[in-house]
């Protein structure tokens, strides 16, 4: 392609700089550009010397652009060369600065006169005129676009001669529209300011050559929240709350691992994990067309519901991408029964009943209900309880279920009142996991959503992936700062991820009779073998973690499974077996500091009578349960007033 070649080397280095630094300042920055929606595009075009300011150094991004100025942008920006065709305009002279640009644009059919052989260089252009000129420039560059339906509420105001071109530019994300009062407008007859023109031109360059001109993301903003205690104080408090190495909650994390993941310095702005600091208690400022295209397309009854998520976000002050992740998970990508709609009616006593072929004739006020966040839909009563709750809330369309259900997400995850009636907010993933405010005094609400030390960073990566797929949004980050805040630290070695907890057993003997017992560097079979021990070998017990013990034998230290050692001294007359005293020591007493948990996968839910048999009910992943106690390898739990038993390995404990 002949276009753009001369600009590539210069712009590539500049764009890399933008993407790596989030661009908060620049040597050519003008104060008027900081925070402008087209700041990055304007700076890129200034660096390329395609756009420039006035004699006083002002760029004036909100001043309307003229035809002459915009033609220069197109010709300079795309590197369009003349064809030699004979073109004249009666109202411009060959010594005027824009003359050559006007002629070249006319030769390629990018511009036409006003019908009287005039170019009219100083007339401002409207948004729809600018769109048509850009589409003609793309035609000249040999770029073919497919039209897409328009998302604008004012599309009926677009001129017939412009609408097809605008549909194609929308499909390429060159035109995005303007968000006003939660609705997307194109404003076709509005005169276009210089800032908008810069954004249009850069997106055109990106469409022609996306490798050289990568998509520019909005510039995020950052703030710091200082906490009146030391980082060590915070870490010590977290260590006491049994943080976990794994999502299943089997192994307690070491202090070193907590120090790493709780330290904000370890997750810089250039990492996906930085999104654990994204503020979720405000709308993201996205546009419905992008949400529909990237996340909701083909997702059952969530399809084309981008506008509803934006409405819910604005109403409840919640990030709409965060709402979308909840809805997609709870509805199985919009395909669950509650998402498809369940009919509910009232019986003769006014009580709600699910509609069936048998009772339909006896019910009145029948409505189709929708529940997009699984509210009140516990597995033992998923369809019935979820649908009845939706009826009570008046969720009779997918839109109403999304907007109405967002209240639950806000109150249950982001906004809430502590026991003293004080309003609190865990409005970043980091706060949800570590809740720095909750450790100041015992009287402050100390809710946390997970025990896994990587929970916030894992969820942060998911959010980063979503943001990477859209181009219109706001992103604000809140980074915690502690007294004595450490700098960047290294992740501990894998074997040092695990705490060595005290054990009441001081020494033990191996019980593996038919084979030698492997001693490993860490407390799982994934770790390499340090040494092997013969049957009846005496070992010193240094500590434990989960069902594993850290032991010392001679000059070797390592971990062995509690299934293959015993606190019983060997007797030559009988085999050594793992005894009750050691097994009891393996079970960590958790009832004192844990009262809630969350299933990490689809989990069998047993009642007392069939605890060792086959479960008739399965709790979906991320179901919150109240932990009442432990029995063997199971938790006794309660889910919406229904008691039962689930495997401890299927639960991630939540500090509360």
């Amino acid at each position: 392609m002949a276009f753009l070649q001369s600009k590539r080397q210069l712009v590539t280095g500049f764009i890399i700089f933008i993407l790596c630094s989030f661009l908060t300042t620049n040597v050519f920055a003008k104060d008027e550009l900081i925070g402008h929606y087209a700041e990055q595009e304007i700076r890129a075009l200034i660096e390329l010397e395609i756009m420039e300011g006035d004699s006083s150094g002002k760029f004036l991004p909100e001043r309307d652009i003229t035809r002459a100025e915009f033609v220069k942008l197109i010709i300079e920006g795309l590197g369009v060369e003349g064809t030699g065709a004979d073109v004249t305009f009666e109202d411009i002279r060959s010594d005027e600065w824009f003359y050559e640009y006007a002629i070249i644009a006319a030769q390629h059919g990018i511009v036409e006169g006003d019908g009287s052989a005039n170019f009219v260089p100083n007339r401002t252009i409207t948004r729809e005129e600018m769109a048509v000129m850009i589409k003609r420039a793309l035609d000249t560059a040999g770029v073919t676009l497919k039209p897409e339906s328009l998302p604008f509420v004012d599309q009926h105001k677009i001129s017939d001669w412009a609408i097809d071109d605008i549909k194609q530019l929308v499909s390429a994300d060159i035109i995005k529209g303007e968000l006003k009062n939660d609705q997307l407008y194109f404003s076709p007859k509005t005169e276009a300011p210089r800032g908008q023109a810069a954004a249009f031109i850069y997106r055109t360059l990106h469409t022609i050559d996306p490798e050289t001109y990568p998509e520019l993301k909005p510039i995020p903003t950052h703030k710091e929240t200082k906490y009146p205690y030391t980082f060590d104080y915070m870490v010590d408090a977290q260590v006491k709350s049994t943080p976990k190495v794994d999502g299943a909650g089997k192994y307690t994390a070491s202090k070193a691992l907590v120090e790493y993941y709780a330290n904000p310095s370890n997750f810089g702005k250039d990492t996906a994990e930085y999104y654990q600091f994204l503020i979720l208690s405000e709308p993201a400022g996205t546009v419905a067309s992008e949400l529909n295209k990237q996340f909701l397309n083909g997702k059952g009854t969530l399809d084309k519901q981008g506008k509803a998520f934006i409405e819910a976000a604005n109403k409840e002050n919640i990030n709409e991408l965060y709402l979308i992740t909840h809805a997609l998970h709870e509805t199985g990508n919009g395909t669950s029964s509650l998402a498809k709609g369940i009919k509910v009616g009232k019986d003769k006593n006014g009580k709600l009943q699910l509609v069936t072929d048998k009772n339909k004739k006896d019910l009145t006020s029948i409505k189709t209900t929708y529940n997009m966040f699984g509210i009140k839909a516990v597995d033992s009563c998923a369809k019935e309880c979820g649908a009845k709750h939706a009826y009570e809330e008046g969720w009779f369309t997918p839109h109403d279920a999304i907007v109405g259900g967002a209240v639950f997400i806000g109150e249950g995850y982001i906004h809430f009142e502590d026991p003293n009636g004080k309003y609190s907010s865990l409005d970043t993933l980091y706060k949800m996991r570590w809740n720095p405010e909750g450790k100041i005094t015992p009287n402050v609400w100390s809710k946390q959503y997970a025990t896994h030390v990587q929970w916030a960073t894992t969820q942060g990566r998911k959010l980063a992936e979503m943001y990477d797929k859209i181009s219109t949004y706001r992103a604000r980050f809140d980074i915690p700062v502690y007294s004595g805040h450490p700098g960047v630290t290294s992740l501990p070695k894998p074997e040092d991820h695990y705490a060595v907890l005290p054990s009441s057993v001081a020494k033990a003997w191996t019980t593996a009779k038919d084979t030698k017992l492997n001693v490993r560097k860490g407390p799982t079979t994934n770790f390499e073998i340090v040494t092997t021990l013969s049957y009846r070998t005496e070992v010193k017990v240094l500590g434990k973690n989960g069902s594993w013990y850290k032991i010392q034998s001679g000059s070797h230290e390592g971990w062995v499974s509690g299934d293959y050692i015993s606190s019983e001294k060997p007797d030559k007359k009988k085999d050594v077996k793992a005894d009750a005293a050691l097994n009891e020591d393996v079970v960590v007493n958790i009832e004192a500091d844990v009262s809630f948990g969350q299933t990490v996968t689809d989990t069998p839910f047993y009642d007392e009578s069939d605890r060792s048999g086959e479960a008739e009910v399965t709790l979906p992943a991320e179901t919150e349960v109240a932990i009442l106690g432990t029995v063997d390898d199971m938790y006794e739990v309660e889910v919406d007033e229904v008691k039962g038993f689930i495997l401890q390995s299927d639960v991630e404990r939540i500090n509360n």
Side-chain angles (χ1 to χ4, degrees), residues 22 266-278 429 454-468 477:
F22 280 156
N266 291 330
F267 308 100
K269 296 176 182 177
D270 59 341
T271 67
E273 290 82 0
Y274 187 74
Y275 273 77
Q276 67 181 299
F277 308 121
L278 180 73
L429 295 170
Q454 295 187 53
W455 183 85
T457 54
T458 300
Q459 301 304 318
R461 286 193 292 271
K462 293 178 181 179
L463 270 179
E465 290 174 3
M466 296 184 75
Y467 271 82
D468 191 52
F477 297 85

Side-chain angles (χ1 to χ4, degrees), residues 152 224 332:
F152 312 120
E224 293 181 345

